[in-house]
Amino acid sequence: MRSLIDILDLSVEELDGLIQTALAIIDDPARFSQCCRGKQLAALFFEPSTRTRLSFESAMLALGGQVLSVTGAGGSSVSKGESIADTAKVVSCYADIIAMRHPQEGAALVAAENASIPVINAGDGGHCHPTQTLADLLTIYREKGRFTGLTVGICGDLKYGRTVHSLIGAMSRYEGTRFVLISPPELAVPDYVRAALRESGIPFSETASLEESLPGLDLLYMTRIQRERFDDLALYEALKDSYVLNEEKMKAAKADMCVLHPLPRVNEISVAVDKDPRACYFRQAFNGKIMRMALILKLLSEKEERRDSRRYVHHLHCKNARCISRTEQELPQAFYAVPGEGIFRCRYCDQEG
Amino acid sequence: MRSLIDILDLSVEELDGLIQTALAIIDDPARFSQCCRGKQLAALFFEPSTRTRLSFESAMLALGGQVLSVTGAGGSSVSKGESIADTAKVVSCYADIIAMRHPQEGAALVAAENASIPVINAGDGGHCHPTQTLADLLTIYREKGRFTGLTVGICGDLKYGRTVHSLIGAMSRYEGTRFVLISPPELAVPDYVRAALRESGIPFSETASLEESLPGLDLLYMTRIQRERFDDLALYEALKDSYVLNEEKMKAAKADMCVLHPLPRVNEISVAVDKDPRACYFRQAFNGKIMRMALILKLLSEKEERRDSRRYVHHLHCKNARCISRTEQELPQAFYAVPGEGIFRCRYCDQEG
Amino acid sequence: MRSLIDILDLSVEELDGLIQTALAIIDDPARFSQCCRGKQLAALFFEPSTRTRLSFESAMLALGGQVLSVTGAGGSSVSKGESIADTAKVVSCYADIIAMRHPQEGAALVAAENASIPVINAGDGGHCHPTQTLADLLTIYREKGRFTGLTVGICGDLKYGRTVHSLIGAMSRYEGTRFVLISPPELAVPDYVRAALRESGIPFSETASLEESLPGLDLLYMTRIQRERFDDLALYEALKDSYVLNEEKMKAAKADMCVLHPLPRVNEISVAVDKDPRACYFRQAFNGKIMRMALILKLLSEKEERRDSRRYVHHLHCKNARCISRTEQELPQAFYAVPGEGIFRCRYCDQEG
């Protein structure tokens, strides 16, 4: 049994396999419409994310499977103080595969290690959201026909943007990728991302100007800038419009540039841009469903366990208040050494110990 | 692709078609049990209405289809400030048809214009609720065997009663309909309803007495009187019992009169009346499921677009605080001229501009 | 049509039948995977209980049926003040069988008497929870191979523990059962339970010490002790650990003792005990799904009405604030005489009148 917690759990070859399956599904959905007959997906959404939940449920139903749905901690035994481990063990008695969204970082990993069925991380706090990255990758492949030699602009909140970090990690594995990181200095990528890029020798530049960056981009990945992120609201008001993509700015972009967005959008892309053929974000939502179908098929067919070749030390304590290791019953602390960095990170939330 | 926003979107012929389909379903449900195999209904209920949601979901399942369910804005991306248009575009990537309930008036219309799949209005604020009227009409047809020559009593809150206005609109299209409008003066029908009845020459009378009206009725459509509607609670207390239907009052009614109620009932019909064969309101709930089955079948088979032959002006601004045009991103104001009335109404909520 | 409100609605023979069906399902699930094709279960959960709801839904889906799901009074017409009777009548128009969880005691009985389809009590306040007891019984049978001659330890909150009272009632019907009732005096079994045991001559002892009781037990049924139950928190703190089952205490137990727990567990069983082969509580969760499958099959095949041979008196008034008879519209009070006790109990909540 395999689970998917972090996008990097999948090798480049496995990713290619998922994309080939996805293309086959798009080509002939009927061929796959009974693949999961008699199987049940438990969609455990302990925080609201309607889009992601519907995408998973729709994917399972399109494979001929069935769905058990849990939304909000309120309607959950979690509210009676049950541990993630127990929830995972019990749901394993009912369903064949779990998709879990949880506000605590590392929750999906704890579930995977206690469930007897595959677990898909549908978002664990600010930590990982691998199926969003699968949607991004299928969209890039379908729109550009390749993953290599692309200049990828990423705009908005690069500091807290979970999907941004996963996308950088995933695209860094392809030949000739260059990143243009577009954000106000307050929301630039964290140091460890910058360090990882330098270490693996991926060319990247950082800028505050969307307008100046546009002409050079093959892809533009837009994200939302949340006012809550700013101590200085005047500053927020001053710069927010410069990160809004509109028809005017689109004129400066290449004719074949792709605009992606994880959605939901608030106002960072003008509705007027939707009819521009370069606007890919709604096709991206469709691709998200298809990749989830491919992933469910893959995990239900996997026999082997999830690999974990890391060595752990247990003398440190995680400082991340949102880490599952803070609340989960009788869960031992565990940290791994980061090669080169000479530091240790929590195995659950990957925060420095 | 066709959507159903307002009951009057359906011609009398289309309504007859739906009723014929409904009768065929009742006659042989098994014949229809696989009609929607592999299709998904997205039930998007952004405000609670368990009965209506279950009716839609049960209808889709009885057709062999599947259901995606969203309940409460809390569990929805809407809470992240997503527009109705975006929600409709994204859900179109997952499902084959949408049933939407939303507190804002005009929300279903906005969804229909942005979705690439049919949208059924399952209630948009105090505006429209066409599938309730479909349930009412099938019940009338099954109980009376015709739509023509019926004296229709409507009792209770005729001022705010959304289902009441739709029923009046629908029944006004049939030969020989007469209305007896029974309510306290505070809750009489709005002027525009009265005006419309006069204009199309439908005979109607208005009275405050249920008791006196009963003997002449072929149908009695009961609705709830909510105390919140009264400024003067003493007045409410004084008259509320006179609008409660009980065994005693039923003695004055025709032997073949039908009692309808959209449900939920609070106490406006005594439980003791339930066993009276003239009490049709639970059969009405069953008919609601059947008509939703017929409607889903019709809309999934329709090819053409929803017709809209109106001309719109854009210089006015909607004053209705609950209108979707107040909040929806980049949605242009639009008003249509009302023939005869010499006024303009908002295309989304139909309020005077 | 039959409903299940209280575990004692089922005769010992009927229970054996359910267990035989359950064993057949475990032996060859595929044989049952289409038994409920085209049938719909309405899971009406008017208070949160994710585990129980998922168990019912998963059971119905595994039988090839479909599910309508209602969670939380918030999302329900009940919030509009609808009676349980009306809800039951309306849902009977949509579904083929109902599983109902409701905070008021007697709610499931009222639903059963108004529905035209079978109703399963999935928990009515602190009153009954028969399908939990079905899970307990299948677990006992599968682990011990028999129901007779067992010494059953029950530990924790025996005063309010709904599942505890049902289990005592069910096991009291088997030859050679002995009970060891382990709790702090504050949380000992209610007098009527003690009286019933004495009357039917079932041997039982009461003790405050889990440790001393362990060696003699064939089964240990653990339940949670909630701090809210204590007026004196110091007392709670003082004794709570003595009711926590851990590896150390397990050393004193028989090699073939079974540990059961209705779940969710908070900390009354150490996670370290999970890997002990005598820990049956997760298998118990699996058994709960299987027994619900067996029960759904039985009730959907039953023709006869639920039996009620009791005589009722109507001059008393129920004093239980959580009894459905306090709020349900036009519901007559009804009390039955308890043989021997010379008292009357409410037919809805079984509280003394």
Side-chain angles (χ1 to χ4, degrees):
Chain A
M1 184 273 301
R2 280 283 302 276
S3 290
L4 179 65
I5 305 307
D6 182 320
I7 190 68
L8 297 180
D9 292 346
L10 295 166
S11 68
V12 168
E13 295 64 37
E14 288 177 305
L15 261 170
D16 292 344
L18 285 174
I19 283 171
Q20 293 313 314
T21 306
L23 297 174
I25 291 168
I26 292 167
D27 184 53
D28 181 8
R31 214 183 102 208
F32 296 84
S33 67
Q34 296 302 312
C35 290
C36 290
R37 191 96 192 272
K39 300 286 187 193
Q40 297 181 24
L41 165 78
L44 306 181
F45 278 63
F46 296 123
E47 73 178 3
S49 178
T50 303
R51 166 160 312 97
T52 305
R53 179 174 64 84
L54 292 188
S55 182
F56 270 108
E57 293 186 5
S58 177
M60 187 57 170
L61 295 174
L63 292 166
Q66 302 278 24
V67 171
L68 299 173
S69 201
V70 174
T71 57
S76 141
S77 294
V78 166
S79 56
K80 294 181 191 165
E82 183 176 57
S83 68
I84 291 292
D86 282 11
T87 298
K89 285 173 180 172
V90 169
V91 173
S92 297
C93 299
Y94 303 152
D96 302 283
I97 184 166
I98 292 170
M100 178 185 278
R101 176 92 157 206
H102 197 284
Q104 285 181 281
E105 303 177 358
L109 177 58
V110 170
E113 299 197 321
N114 288 278
S116 56
I117 59 179
V119 173
I120 300 171
N121 184 2
D124 60 332
H127 185 223
C128 297
H129 189 11
T131 58
Q132 176 62 56
T133 309
L134 292 179
D136 302 341
L137 292 170
L138 180 59
T139 306
I140 292 167
Y141 189 84
R142 292 186 70 199
E143 301 290 334
K144 309 303 295 183
R146 66 185 203 279
F147 288 121
T148 53
L150 296 173
T151 300
V152 181
I154 308 182
C155 177
D157 177 351
L158 309 188
K159 185 172 180 183
Y160 302 97
R162 170 175 64 181
T163 58
V164 165
H165 305 157
S166 301
L167 182 64
I168 291 172
M171 289 301 292
S172 293
R173 305 195 292 184
Y174 296 103
E175 201 63 46
T177 301
R178 317 176 143 271
F179 292 104
V180 181
L181 306 174
I182 309 156
S183 75
E186 296 71 13
L187 297 178
V189 293
D191 291 338
Y192 81 88
V193 172
R194 212 175 277 106
L197 286 170
R198 289 218 183 80
E199 204 192 323
S200 35
I202 314 287
F204 72 96
S205 60
E206 298 189 73
T207 168
S209 168
L210 171 57
E211 217 141 355
E212 294 167 15
S213 315
L214 269 164
L217 306 178
D218 297 311
L219 301 174
L220 172 59
Y221 197 94
M222 293 294 293
T223 67
R224 186 156 42 114
I225 293 184
Q226 292 165 283
R227 72 184 303 138
E228 310 85 87
R229 302 299 193 190
F230 284 79
D231 311 322
D232 177 354
L233 280 189
L235 182 65
Y236 168 79
E237 292 303 329
L239 57 74
K240 73 174 199 295
D241 290 348
S242 66
Y243 297 101
V244 171
L245 186 65
N246 55 27
E247 287 174 291
E248 188 50 39
K249 293 200 186 83
M250 284 297 283
K251 290 182 184 153
K254 289 185 184 174
D256 67 347
M257 183 186 77
C258 299
V259 182
L260 279 70
H261 189 299
L263 303 180
R265 143 184 70 187
V266 176
N267 58 4
E268 55 276 14
I269 301 177
S270 164
V271 172
V273 173
D274 296 359
K275 55 182 174 344
D276 188 313
R278 296 171 289 184
C280 304
Y281 31 89
F282 292 113
R283 298 196 287 276
Q284 191 178 358
F286 171 79
N287 291 333
K289 170 182 175 175
I290 303 299
M291 280 301 261
R292 289 177 175 102
M293 290 173 72
L295 179 63
I296 290 167
L297 285 172
K298 175 182 170 62
L299 296 183
L300 285 176
S301 65
E302 297 275 337
K303 289 283 148 285
E304 57 174 317
E305 281 301 318
R306 187 159 170 284
R307 290 174 296 248
D308 183 1
S309 53
R310 282 180 182 149
R311 293 258 180 66
Y312 296 102
V313 298
H314 303 283
H315 63 281
L316 297 165
H317 271 273
C318 187
K319 300 186 212 69
N320 175 7
R322 298 187 305 165
C323 180
I324 190 68
S325 68
R326 290 300 202 83
T327 56
E328 184 75 359
Q329 271 174 51
E330 301 177 43
L331 181 69
Q333 295 279 329
F335 287 76
Y336 61 92
V338 184
E341 291 185 49
I343 59 166
F344 289 90
R345 293 187 177 281
C346 172
R347 77 169 292 207
Y348 299 103
C349 69
D350 295 299
Q351 296 275 311
E352 185 168 346
Chain B
M1 182 274 300
R2 278 285 303 278
S3 290
L4 180 66
I5 305 307
D6 182 320
I7 189 68
L8 297 180
D9 292 346
L10 295 167
S11 69
V12 168
E13 295 65 37
E14 288 178 305
L15 262 170
D16 292 344
L18 286 173
I19 284 173
Q20 292 313 314
T21 306
L23 297 174
I25 292 168
I26 293 166
D27 184 52
D28 180 7
R31 215 183 101 209
F32 296 86
S33 69
Q34 296 300 313
C35 290
C36 290
R37 190 98 192 273
K39 299 287 185 191
Q40 298 182 24
L41 166 77
L44 307 181
F45 278 63
F46 296 123
E47 73 179 1
S49 179
T50 304
R51 168 162 311 95
T52 305
R53 179 174 64 84
L54 292 188
S55 182
F56 270 108
E57 293 185 5
S58 179
M60 188 57 170
L61 295 174
L63 291 166
Q66 303 277 25
V67 171
L68 300 172
S69 201
V70 174
T71 57
S76 140
S77 295
V78 167
S79 56
K80 294 181 191 164
E82 183 176 56
S83 69
I84 292 291
D86 282 12
T87 297
K89 286 173 179 172
V90 169
V91 172
S92 296
C93 300
Y94 303 152
D96 301 283
I97 184 166
I98 291 170
M100 178 184 280
R101 177 91 157 207
H102 198 285
Q104 285 181 281
E105 303 177 357
L109 177 58
V110 170
E113 299 199 321
N114 288 278
S116 55
I117 59 178
V119 174
I120 300 171
N121 184 2
D124 59 332
H127 185 223
C128 297
H129 189 11
T131 58
Q132 177 61 57
T133 309
L134 292 178
D136 303 341
L137 292 171
L138 181 59
T139 306
I140 292 167
Y141 189 83
R142 291 186 69 199
E143 301 291 334
K144 308 303 292 183
R146 66 184 202 282
F147 288 122
T148 54
L150 296 173
T151 300
V152 181
I154 308 181
C155 177
D157 179 351
L158 309 188
K159 185 173 180 184
Y160 302 98
R162 173 173 60 181
T163 57
V164 166
H165 305 157
S166 302
L167 183 65
I168 290 174
M171 289 302 290
S172 294
R173 304 194 293 183
Y174 296 103
E175 201 63 45
T177 302
R178 320 176 141 271
F179 293 104
V180 181
L181 306 174
I182 309 158
S183 75
E186 296 71 13
L187 297 177
V189 292
D191 292 336
Y192 80 88
V193 173
R194 211 175 280 106
L197 285 170
R198 290 219 181 81
E199 204 192 322
S200 36
I202 315 287
F204 71 97
S205 60
E206 299 189 70
T207 169
S209 169
L210 172 57
E211 217 140 354
E212 293 166 16
S213 315
L214 269 165
L217 306 178
D218 298 310
L219 302 173
L220 173 59
Y221 197 96
M222 292 294 294
T223 67
R224 185 157 42 113
I225 292 184
Q226 292 165 283
R227 72 184 305 139
E228 310 86 88
R229 302 298 192 192
F230 285 79
D231 310 323
D232 176 355
L233 280 187
L235 180 64
Y236 168 79
E237 292 303 329
L239 56 74
K240 72 174 200 294
D241 290 348
S242 66
Y243 297 101
V244 171
L245 188 65
N246 55 28
E247 287 174 293
E248 188 50 37
K249 293 200 186 81
M250 284 297 284
K251 290 181 185 152
K254 288 185 185 175
D256 66 348
M257 185 187 75
C258 300
V259 181
L260 279 70
H261 190 299
L263 303 179
R265 145 184 69 188
V266 176
N267 57 5
E268 56 276 14
I269 301 177
S270 164
V271 172
V273 174
D274 295 0
K275 53 183 175 346
D276 187 313
R278 295 171 290 184
C280 304
Y281 31 90
F282 292 113
R283 297 197 286 278
Q284 192 178 358
F286 171 79
N287 291 333
K289 171 182 173 174
I290 303 299
M291 281 300 261
R292 288 178 175 100
M293 290 173 72
L295 180 64
I296 290 167
L297 285 172
K298 175 183 171 61
L299 295 183
L300 285 176
S301 64
E302 297 275 337
K303 290 284 148 282
E304 53 170 322
E305 281 302 318
R306 186 160 172 284
R307 289 174 295 249
D308 185 359
S309 53
R310 281 181 184 150
R311 296 258 180 66
Y312 296 101
V313 298
H314 304 282
H315 63 281
L316 298 165
H317 271 273
C318 187
K319 301 186 212 71
N320 174 7
R322 297 187 306 166
C323 180
I324 190 69
S325 67
R326 289 300 201 82
T327 56
E328 184 75 1
Q329 271 173 52
E330 302 177 41
L331 181 70
Q333 295 281 328
F335 287 77
Y336 61 92
V338 185
E341 290 186 48
I343 59 166
F344 289 89
R345 293 187 177 281
C346 172
R347 78 168 293 205
Y348 299 104
C349 69
D350 294 299
Q351 296 276 310
E352 187 169 344
Chain C
M1 182 272 302
R2 278 286 302 279
S3 289
L4 180 65
I5 306 306
D6 182 321
I7 190 68
L8 297 181
D9 291 345
L10 296 166
S11 69
V12 168
E13 295 63 37
E14 288 177 306
L15 261 171
D16 291 345
L18 286 173
I19 283 171
Q20 293 313 313
T21 306
L23 297 174
I25 292 169
I26 292 166
D27 184 52
D28 181 8
R31 216 183 101 210
F32 296 84
S33 67
Q34 296 300 313
C35 289
C36 290
R37 190 96 193 273
K39 300 285 185 195
Q40 298 181 24
L41 166 77
L44 307 180
F45 278 63
F46 296 124
E47 73 178 2
S49 178
T50 303
R51 166 160 312 95
T52 305
R53 179 175 63 84
L54 292 187
S55 182
F56 270 107
E57 294 186 3
S58 178
M60 187 58 169
L61 295 175
L63 291 166
Q66 302 278 23
V67 171
L68 300 173
S69 201
V70 174
T71 57
S76 140
S77 294
V78 166
S79 55
K80 293 181 192 163
E82 183 176 57
S83 68
I84 292 293
D86 282 11
T87 298
K89 286 173 180 172
V90 169
V91 173
S92 296
C93 300
Y94 303 151
D96 301 283
I97 185 166
I98 291 170
M100 178 184 280
R101 176 92 158 208
H102 197 285
Q104 285 182 281
E105 303 176 357
L109 177 58
V110 170
E113 299 197 321
N114 288 278
S116 55
I117 59 178
V119 173
I120 300 171
N121 185 1
D124 60 332
H127 184 223
C128 297
H129 189 11
T131 58
Q132 176 61 56
T133 309
L134 292 179
D136 302 342
L137 292 170
L138 181 58
T139 306
I140 292 167
Y141 189 83
R142 293 186 68 197
E143 301 290 334
K144 309 302 294 183
R146 66 184 203 281
F147 288 120
T148 54
L150 296 172
T151 299
V152 181
I154 308 182
C155 177
D157 177 352
L158 309 188
K159 186 173 180 182
Y160 302 98
R162 172 175 62 182
T163 57
V164 166
H165 306 158
S166 301
L167 183 64
I168 290 173
M171 289 301 291
S172 293
R173 304 195 291 183
Y174 296 103
E175 201 62 45
T177 301
R178 318 176 142 271
F179 293 104
V180 181
L181 306 173
I182 309 155
S183 74
E186 296 70 13
L187 297 178
V189 292
D191 292 337
Y192 80 89
V193 173
R194 212 176 278 107
L197 286 170
R198 290 218 180 82
E199 205 193 322
S200 36
I202 314 289
F204 70 97
S205 60
E206 299 189 72
T207 169
S209 169
L210 171 57
E211 216 141 356
E212 294 167 15
S213 315
L214 268 164
L217 305 178
D218 298 310
L219 300 174
L220 173 58
Y221 197 94
M222 292 293 294
T223 67
R224 185 156 43 114
I225 293 185
Q226 293 165 284
R227 71 184 304 139
E228 310 86 85
R229 303 298 193 191
F230 284 79
D231 310 323
D232 176 355
L233 280 187
L235 181 65
Y236 168 80
E237 292 303 329
L239 57 74
K240 72 175 202 294
D241 290 348
S242 66
Y243 296 102
V244 171
L245 187 65
N246 56 26
E247 287 174 293
E248 187 52 38
K249 292 201 185 83
M250 284 296 284
K251 290 182 184 150
K254 289 185 184 173
D256 67 348
M257 185 186 74
C258 300
V259 181
L260 279 70
H261 190 299
L263 303 179
R265 142 181 74 185
V266 175
N267 58 6
E268 56 276 14
I269 301 178
S270 164
V271 172
V273 174
D274 295 359
K275 54 183 174 344
D276 187 313
R278 295 170 291 184
C280 304
Y281 31 91
F282 292 114
R283 296 197 288 277
Q284 192 178 358
F286 171 79
N287 291 331
K289 171 183 175 174
I290 304 299
M291 280 301 261
R292 288 178 176 100
M293 290 173 72
L295 180 64
I296 290 167
L297 285 172
K298 174 182 170 62
L299 295 183
L300 285 177
S301 65
E302 297 275 338
K303 289 284 149 283
E304 55 172 319
E305 281 301 318
R306 186 159 173 283
R307 289 174 296 249
D308 184 359
S309 54
R310 281 180 182 151
R311 293 257 181 66
Y312 297 102
V313 297
H314 304 282
H315 63 282
L316 297 166
H317 271 272
C318 187
K319 302 187 211 68
N320 174 7
R322 296 187 306 166
C323 180
I324 189 68
S325 67
R326 289 301 201 81
T327 56
E328 184 75 359
Q329 270 173 51
E330 301 176 43
L331 182 69
Q333 296 279 328
F335 287 76
Y336 61 91
V338 185
E341 291 185 50
I343 59 167
F344 289 90
R345 291 188 178 279
C346 172
R347 78 169 293 207
Y348 299 104
C349 69
D350 294 300
Q351 296 275 310
E352 186 169 344

